[in-house]
Amino acid sequence: MVKLLTPGVEEDDGSEKLVDEIFAFFLHMLVALAAWVAMMLVGYAIHPASVPQAAIFALSLFVPLVAGYIVARYRPNEMAAHIWLAGIIWLLFLSLWIIDLPTGPNACENCSATEKIVRTLFSIPGPSGLLDDNGPFFGTWPAMAMVGYAVGAGLVLRKKKQQR
């Protein structure tokens, strides 16, 4: 939107920059998730026997971190360092949904709300039985991919700021 102050003089209200930032945010979010999906596809293709969930959690953080570092090195953008917010919002959204899920035999019967969330999203001390024990796949690992990507991009952006 452009406001006219005097004839021939225009003032930009920043709406074009906002649209660019929104586009960049979602584009970086998609790149982070694409890096995570690629890592998962490689894992399914290799099909190693009994990989612990902690290792998958670490790789879900590390592989997008490297992708974020590489992307920000060649295409620096401030929004790349802010997509961790989308990961946290995703975890919060799923946590609310998990709390509302019904419990029963083999599905976290007699669990408190905290125990339902921890056992479903992190499988600690064991899976809850909710979401068919796919809580980390649907919630934790993609969220950690976005956090890792933001950390990797943030490392590059911080270096570039210090060099100025």
Side-chain angles (χ1 to χ4, degrees):
M1 178 94 91
V2 176
K3 296 179 186 177
L4 292 176
L5 298 174
T6 57
V9 178
E10 296 179 358
E11 181 183 321
D12 186 15
D13 67 352
S15 61
E16 287 180 24
K17 185 179 179 198
L18 180 63
V19 170
D20 290 343
E21 288 177 350
I22 291 169
F23 180 73
F25 183 86
F26 285 107
L27 184 65
H28 285 290
M29 198 171 84
L30 285 175
V31 171
L33 291 173
W36 174 73
V37 166
M39 183 223 32
M40 293 300 284
L41 288 174
V42 167
Y44 284 121
I46 294 172
H47 198 13
S50 69
V51 175
Q53 284 193 3
I56 299 171
F57 180 88
L59 285 172
S60 294
L61 193 67
F62 181 72
V63 171
L65 185 144
V66 172
Y69 188 88
I70 291 169
V71 169
R73 188 173 180 115
Y74 293 105
R75 285 278 200 177
N77 186 316
E78 285 292 320
M79 294 313 293
H82 297 294
I83 67 163
W84 65 271
L85 288 167
I88 300 303
I89 290 169
W90 181 246
L91 276 179
L92 292 172
F93 171 75
L94 279 177
S95 295
L96 284 174
W97 182 42
I98 290 166
I99 288 173
D100 285 342
L101 288 175
T103 60
N106 298 324
C108 211
E109 191 171 25
N110 301 324
C111 289
S112 67
T114 304
E115 191 176 6
K116 267 174 100 169
I117 292 169
V118 171
R119 290 183 67 189
T120 303
L121 293 177
F122 300 101
S123 298
I124 298 173
S128 67
L130 300 171
L131 300 179
D132 294 330
D133 292 335
N134 288 321
F137 181 79
F138 291 121
T140 311
W141 299 338
M144 288 304 104
M146 288 183 261
V147 170
Y149 185 91
V151 169
L155 291 172
V156 172
L157 295 173
R158 187 177 339 154
K159 276 186 195 176
K160 291 193 183 229
K161 274 186 183 178
Q162 289 174 350
Q163 289 175 354
R164 288 183 203 164

